[in-house]
Each structure stands twice: as structure tokens, then as C-alpha cells.
Amino acid sequence: MEQHQWKDVHYRGTIVRVDYRAQKADGTTWLKYANVYLPYGYDETKPYNILYLMHGGGGNPDAWLDCSQIKNALDRGFAEERSKPFIVVFPTYYNLNPAERRSSGIDAAWENAQVFGFQKELEEALIPAVEGRFHTFADGTDHQALVSSRRHRAFSGFSMGGCTTWYAFMEHLDIIGTFLPLSGDCWVIEPTGGKEHAAETAKALAECVRRFGYTKDDFKLLIATGDLDIAYGNLTPQVEAMKAYPELFGDMQYVVKEGAVHAYEEVYHHIWNYLPQIF
Ligand code: FER
């Protein structure tokens, strides 16, 4: 795998906090925030591609920034013209109320409900808050504007954020064009169902693509984990089962990093490696 050498770089992006109000299924609303990375030289007269990057279980909008060198990788990658500069959004699927946030261990069913529930907020609250404020390819924040700009919008996440990415694929394939699930399988059948229910999981994903009327040419699926990662044994059978649908998943990529465990410090390297291919 390609590794980069760290050098001191002048081209530093900035992190801006965006507050927004999200609505729960029961109609109540809560105030949340996301961190937004604006690349060096961000020019609001120009449109930018945008990546939404979700944390893992127990995380928050600062988790990726606190626990990995993702910001350095983005700064350096754009400085080296590994990709055209794009905006990166670090949201959370939690409601930020400490009393309702996970402290230790994992209640898989509850986590699964949180990442699925986030999908409503993604289109209704987060994307409008961010893309209404910064200049992306969306000509407005209504559904049609998001559909028209889908190839300029990507979603990724680590671990439970990887599961969030699979749900974004299933729910929002019409408004997002590239998906990078990192070290997380799809829990649509049941938690860690990519392992025990690989074929059913692949079938559910395939049905979504068909429902939207797309083929493999209409999206990019850039998947990754490590061979020592706790998600490896769940994700790998799912990816294998997805190969039964070459017309839909024939172009997906799956990178397994040797020696890599389940950690932000490992998975951010996958963003670096996929950087030229995201948009
Ligand atoms: C997985 C393995 C572990 C996965 C998620 C986890 C979504 C999360 C573990 C945790 O939050 O403790 O395959 O897929």
C-alpha cells in the first residue's frame, strides 16, 4: 500500500463549527453541531465537492480530528494535488445529550437504530445546514438540487460510521455518488449481519440499487479495513457475497491493509489512498 511521508506543509485548511437543529421521528427537535473542514484557499465564489465523514461508536464530531491525522492528510493531499480540494463534514449520529450517549460497551441494537435514524436528519437537516452555508455543487438544498449534484457528494465513516455509510447507500443513493465504508459491515439484517447473513445483506443492498434504477456505473463503492481489524471477519463475507451482482457491484473496490487494527489512526490512511478516486 502507498504510504506518504510527512513534511511540513503551508497549505492548512480550517475547521468551522456549524450548528443546526435536527428533528426526531417523534417531532421533537434538538440542537447539534458538525465540524466542517474548509480546504486551504476556500473561495466561496467556486463550487466544491463535499465528503461527509462519520465517527465510530462512542464518538462525536471531533473524534476523527482528535484521534487521527485526517486533517494533515487532507491538507497534504490537496497541497500535492492528489485530489481537487473538497469540503469535509464531521457530523455525529448521536444527539449530543451526554445522558443518552454511549459511555462504554456497545448495545448493538441501540447503536444500529441511531445510525439508521441519522439518515432522516442527513437529508432534512445536516446537508441543508452545511450546503446552504458553503458553496458546493448543489444549486439549492431541496431534493432535486441534491439529486442533480449527487456525483459531487460522498459519504464515509469508521466502524459504526461504516454502518452509517451502508445505510446512506441504501437510503440516499439518489443524492450521494461515492461511498467509503471503513471497517464496518451493513447491519440491515441484524448487527454484524455481514458475517452470518452475508447473502441476505448483499441482496438487500442490490435491491436498493435496483429500486433507484441505477447500475454499477452510477456510483462508486470504495471499501476498506485491516486484516487485524475486528470488522474484517464481518465485512469480508459481505463483500464476497456482493460479487454475486457484477452488474451492480462489479466496480466496487475492497482494500485490506496488512497489520491494521480497528482504529482511526489506521483507517484515515484509506481516505489518503482513495483520495484521487473519491470524485
Ligand atoms: C463491525 C465491527 C465492530 C462493525 C462495527 C463494530 C458496523 C463496532 C464496534 C464498536 O462500536 O464497539 O463489523 O460494523
Coordinates of all heavy atoms in Angstrom, one line a residue, residues 70 77 86 159 175 190:
I70 N -6.2 12.8 10.1 CA -7.0 13.1 8.9 C -6.8 14.5 8.3 O -6.7 14.7 7.1 CB -8.5 12.7 9.1 CG1 -9.3 12.9 7.8 CG2 -9.1 13.6 10.2 CD1 -9.0 11.9 6.7
G77 N -2.7 16.1 1.0 CA -3.2 15.6 -0.2 C -3.7 16.7 -1.2 O -3.4 16.6 -2.4
F86 N -11.6 19.5 -1.5 CA -13.0 19.4 -1.2 C -13.3 19.7 0.2 O -12.4 19.7 1.1 CB -13.6 18.0 -1.7 CG -12.9 16.8 -1.1 CD1 -13.2 16.3 0.1 CD2 -12.0 16.1 -1.9 CE1 -12.6 15.2 0.6 CE2 -11.4 14.9 -1.5 CZ -11.7 14.5 -0.2
S159 N -16.2 2.2 11.3 CA -16.9 1.3 12.3 C -18.4 1.5 12.3 O -19.1 1.3 11.2 CB -16.3 1.5 13.7 OG -16.8 0.5 14.6
I175 N -28.9 10.9 -3.9 CA -28.3 12.2 -3.6 C -26.8 12.1 -3.3 O -26.1 13.2 -3.1 CB -29.0 13.0 -2.5 CG1 -29.0 12.3 -1.2 CG2 -30.5 13.3 -3.0 CD1 -29.5 13.1 0.0
E190 N -29.2 -7.7 10.7 CA -29.0 -7.7 12.2 C -27.6 -7.2 12.4 O -26.8 -7.2 11.5 CB -29.2 -9.1 12.8 CG -28.2 -10.1 12.3 CD -28.3 -11.4 13.1 OE1 -29.4 -11.7 13.7 OE2 -27.3 -12.2 13.1

